[in-house]
Amino acid sequence: MIKHRLTLFLVSIINAISVNGQDTVNYNLDKLIEIAVKHNHNVQISRNNVDIAENNASLGNAGILPEISLTGNASLSSNDTKAEFSGNIPTSEQDGAKSINYGGGVEMSRTLFQGFYSVNKYKKLKSQAELSGIKLQTEIENTIVAVTRSYYTYLSIVKDHNIAIENLTISKERLKKVENNLLFGQSNKNERLNAQSALNADSIQLLNLENQRKKAYHDLLKSLGKEIKNIADIKSQKLPLDLLLLNYNQLKSKLEENNKSLKQAKTNIGISQLEYKMTKASRFPNIKLSTGYGYNQQEFDVGVLTYNRTLGFDVGISLSYNLFDFGQRRKNIQNAKIALQNEKLNIDKIELQLNQDFEKAWSDYTLQLKSIEIEKKNLTNEKARFQNVKDQYYLGQTDNLTFRDAQLSLARAKSQLFNARINAKLAELELLRISGALVK
């Protein structure tokens, strides 16, 4: 089995995951990826394909090794026989005359020359085994990306869910404050209705996010390829999103060497070159050597020869060549050459697309880094603004619309900063995938 070492550059971790009625079990992102890589069905199928390809990549399967076979035979016949001979040998006639024939032996045959067909076939089988290993790495990459995206999507919704809880708490305090003021004539019914409307809106938002959280949670489990019954919820949203601070030149220099799609294309072009050589082998004669050691015994009731036995070696060599096949050989060679040209064109296409994808991914990554800094400043500003508006509101120096606007702006700022960090991690993940640094 080809050994693949996973280099996971995913450093984002959650602190804890609660277990229903049991002790706390830590399922951080690396652990979830480990589970998915082991149990994801597409990854398991790819692993099986690697085993099949490696089993096929043998000298015997390529036709390089000799074929050895054991043979045996036995026959008995009974016939009414009349045999007339020339010369003075009398006629022999017998009803129910028996003849017995039995024997056995070991035979070995080997193709000596076939235009290097077997050698190139063996190289092709080895290349196909290598290709299946690259496909496995690609499937592991896809699984890592899918699990990570599901994981961050879930955390983003949970973060918004917690913000909604904070909003609901603020709205409850506001309604309570308004109702108290109403008792002392310091407020009016319209202000109470506004406070109640804000509370109702926050309650509905919380219910919607709770529903989204459950769906995202099950999507996360689905991406693992295995049901994990003990995971109940992610308690901590204090998510460290430390970025790797990727280097453009380092990633770019390794792009064409490590990208899995390009590696597959390069391996495919090698396979096409070997198939072209295998097809051209039909232009050469086929020379085959065979040898064996056998025993044979015959017994006859009628005839001059009533007993015959042979024991010993035999060896032979044969040569065959197809003189005419109605142009099929020429067409096969032409088709193999065209297929090789297509693989070369495919590499050019992938290289062009790869460089474009890398530049777009790097641009997105740098944009997300800048967005984080802007969102940090925005959150600081919104916190200060809300606190000022809140103090003024409770002193009766501002209206409820200004308070509500500051409350919602603060909630958006918290959510936007968290999502900016997640988007930066996903952009980082995409860069690692494209540059082939995610799985080695």
Side-chain angles (χ1 to χ4, degrees):
M1 180 70 184
I2 292 179
K3 303 296 182 183
H4 299 284
R5 180 172 58 87
L6 302 184
T7 304
L8 305 179
F9 290 88
L10 308 172
V11 297
S12 305
I13 303 173
I14 57 175
N15 291 337
I17 296 180
S18 176
V19 179
N20 282 323
Q22 300 182 19
D23 295 334
T24 299
V25 177
N26 291 324
Y27 280 98
N28 59 27
L29 179 57
D30 287 344
K31 181 63 177 178
L32 294 177
I33 289 174
E34 179 184 340
I35 293 171
V37 168
K38 182 178 180 181
H39 295 285
N40 182 273
H41 296 99
N42 290 333
V43 174
Q44 292 186 70
I45 292 172
S46 293
R47 284 199 182 98
N48 290 337
N49 289 336
V50 170
D51 291 340
I52 292 173
E54 289 186 338
N55 289 336
N56 288 335
S58 64
L59 294 173
N61 203 32
I64 294 177
L65 298 179
E67 297 180 1
I68 301 176
S69 59
L70 180 65
T71 62
N73 64 84
S75 64
L76 171 65
S77 63
S78 177
N79 301 288
D80 296 337
T81 305
K82 179 179 180 181
E84 296 181 355
F85 307 98
S86 60
N88 297 323
I89 301 176
T91 299
S92 177
E93 184 175 1
Q94 180 177 330
D95 294 337
K98 296 179 180 179
S99 61
I100 301 174
N101 182 19
Y102 55 89
V106 178
E107 297 180 357
M108 182 184 74
S109 62
R110 186 180 187 279
T111 300
L112 297 179
F113 182 75
Q114 198 179 8
F116 302 105
Y117 178 89
S118 298
V119 174
N120 288 319
K121 183 178 180 180
Y122 179 67
K123 292 179 180 179
K124 175 188 172 182
L125 293 173
K126 296 289 286 185
S127 296
Q128 287 176 331
E130 180 183 351
L131 179 62
S132 66
I134 299 173
K135 289 181 177 179
L136 173 59
Q137 291 179 330
T138 303
E139 201 58 59
I140 291 174
E141 273 188 349
N142 295 337
T143 300
I144 291 174
V145 171
V147 172
T148 304
R149 288 188 179 277
S150 296
Y151 173 81
Y152 284 146
T153 298
Y154 176 76
L155 288 186
S156 178
I157 294 173
V158 174
K159 179 66 174 179
D160 287 341
H161 182 270
N162 285 351
I163 294 172
I165 293 175
E166 294 174 3
N167 266 346
L168 187 63
T169 301
I170 293 172
S171 295
K172 286 180 179 179
E173 292 176 354
R174 174 189 171 193
L175 179 61
K176 184 177 180 180
K177 177 68 174 177
V178 171
E179 288 176 340
N180 288 336
N181 291 340
L182 190 61
L183 293 175
F184 296 98
Q186 298 175 351
S187 183
N188 55 57
K189 290 183 178 181
N190 186 51
E191 191 171 350
R192 183 186 182 281
L193 290 173
N194 286 332
Q196 185 65 58
S197 296
L199 179 62
N200 293 340
D202 291 340
S203 298
I204 294 173
Q205 176 70 1
L206 185 61
L207 289 174
N208 288 332
L209 287 169
E210 176 64 22
N211 185 47
Q212 293 178 32
R213 185 192 66 82
K214 291 179 180 179
K215 291 181 179 179
Y217 175 75
H218 289 293
D219 287 340
L220 173 59
L221 294 186
K222 182 180 178 181
S223 68
L224 301 180
K226 179 184 179 182
E227 184 69 25
I228 303 178
K229 298 180 180 179
N230 289 336
I231 297 181
D233 200 354
I234 297 177
K235 289 293 184 183
S236 175
Q237 308 316 315
K238 200 172 183 181
L239 181 72
L241 289 166
D242 299 330
L243 295 167
L244 299 178
L245 301 179
L246 304 176
N247 182 280
Y248 176 91
N249 293 328
Q250 289 180 353
L251 291 177
K252 185 76 171 181
S253 64
K254 298 293 184 180
L255 184 64
E256 295 188 2
E257 178 183 347
N258 295 329
N259 179 267
K260 303 302 181 296
S261 297
L262 190 56
K263 289 177 73 173
Q264 285 190 49
K266 289 180 179 179
T267 305
N268 279 327
I269 197 172
I271 291 174
S272 293
Q273 289 172 338
L274 292 170
E275 289 176 342
Y276 179 57
K277 292 178 180 179
M278 290 167 61
T279 306
K280 290 200 300 182
S282 60
R283 293 174 173 174
F284 298 90
N286 186 359
I287 302 175
K288 191 172 185 178
L289 174 69
S290 60
T291 183
Y293 182 84
Y295 172 83
N296 189 63
Q297 181 171 313
Q298 296 174 308
E299 299 177 10
F300 308 95
D301 286 349
V302 176
V304 176
L305 181 66
T306 59
Y307 180 82
N308 180 43
R309 186 184 73 175
T310 60
L311 176 67
F313 288 97
D314 65 84
V315 63
I317 189 169
S318 63
L319 183 147
S320 62
Y321 182 74
N322 191 345
L323 293 177
F324 184 69
D325 60 358
F326 299 95
Q328 189 61 44
R329 176 172 57 195
R330 178 177 55 82
K331 292 178 181 178
N332 290 339
I333 293 175
Q334 288 177 344
N335 290 338
K337 186 176 182 179
I338 294 172
L340 177 59
Q341 291 173 346
N342 285 340
E343 292 296 339
K344 292 179 179 179
L345 291 173
N346 189 47
I347 283 186
D348 292 339
K349 181 184 73 173
I350 291 176
E351 287 179 341
L352 178 62
Q353 184 65 47
L354 183 59
N355 282 284
Q356 292 176 348
D357 290 345
F358 179 83
E359 294 299 333
K360 288 190 291 185
W362 181 261
S363 178
D364 185 49
Y365 174 69
T366 54
L367 172 64
Q368 298 304 331
L369 293 182
K370 294 176 182 177
S371 297
I372 290 176
E373 298 305 315
I374 295 173
E375 293 298 345
K376 284 180 180 179
K377 295 177 181 178
N378 185 50
L379 179 57
T380 301
N381 180 69
E382 292 299 335
K383 283 181 178 179
R385 178 189 172 216
F386 176 73
Q387 189 60 49
N388 290 336
V389 172
K390 181 179 179 182
D391 293 341
Q392 293 175 2
Y393 180 75
Y394 285 154
L395 292 173
Q397 297 175 357
T398 188
D399 56 36
N400 55 71
L401 293 178
T402 303
F403 179 88
R404 183 62 174 171
D405 179 68
Q407 178 189 3
L408 295 179
S409 294
L410 176 59
R412 283 194 298 270
K414 291 178 180 179
S415 178
Q416 288 170 359
L417 176 57
F418 190 82
N419 287 329
R421 288 172 174 168
I422 285 180
N423 290 337
K425 287 302 296 182
L426 292 176
E428 178 183 87
L429 179 71
E430 181 65 9
L431 270 175
L432 294 173
R433 186 194 66 80
I434 292 175
S435 61
L438 193 59
V439 178
K440 292 185 178 180

